[in-house]
């Protein structure tokens, strides 16, 4: 797990918007989108259209991530807490 992935998971214990993460972490949009994409590919985060509407299947975070919400999965929380 990269330092960026660890820091991002630290923010995803609760559902968070892209804009919130951008402001909290102070990263560029590109770095945030790439890190979200990486964590999603590893099964460590969920993507949501609304707080109760999880997106499944082929989710294109790189082009649509700015309108999504994010939450760590059990796998992501366990990996985050193991470090």
């Amino acid at each position: 797990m990269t330092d960026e992935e660890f820091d991002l998971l630290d923010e995803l214990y609760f559902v968070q918007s892209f804009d919130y993460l951008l402001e909290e972490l102070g990263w560029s949009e590109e770095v945030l989108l790439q890190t979200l994409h990486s964590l999603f590919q590893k099964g460590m985060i969920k993507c949501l259209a609304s707080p109760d509407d999880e997106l499944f299947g082929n989710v294109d975070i790189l082009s649509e991530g700015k309108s999504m919400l994010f939450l760590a999965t059990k796998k992501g929380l366990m990996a985050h807490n193991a470090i």
Side-chain angles (χ1 to χ4, degrees), residues 8 12-14 24-25 28-29 47 63-64 66 70 72 79 82-83:
L8 181 52
L12 295 177
Y13 278 69
F14 301 97
E24 280 299 305
L25 296 168
S28 70
E29 289 183 358
C47 299
S63 66
E64 299 174 16
K66 295 176 188 179
F70 304 93
I83 295 177

Side-chain angles (χ1 to χ4, degrees), residues 7-65:
D7 291 344
L8 181 52
L9 279 174
D10 201 38
E11 298 294 330
L12 295 177
Y13 278 69
F14 301 97
V15 175
Q16 301 295 353
S17 69
F18 180 85
D19 290 336
Y20 171 85
L21 295 170
L22 196 61
E23 184 176 322
E24 280 299 305
L25 296 168
W27 299 347
S28 70
E29 289 183 358
E30 181 179 334
V31 169
L32 181 52
L33 288 168
Q34 288 289 343
T35 308
L36 287 164
H37 177 73
S38 174
L39 287 172
F40 182 73
Q41 294 298 314
K42 295 176 182 180
M44 294 190 180
I45 64 168
K46 297 178 185 182
C47 299
L48 304 104
S50 67
D52 296 319
D53 188 17
E54 184 175 350
L55 300 169
F56 296 97
N58 190 14
V59 178
D60 190 354
I61 294 173
L62 298 176
S63 66
E64 299 174 16

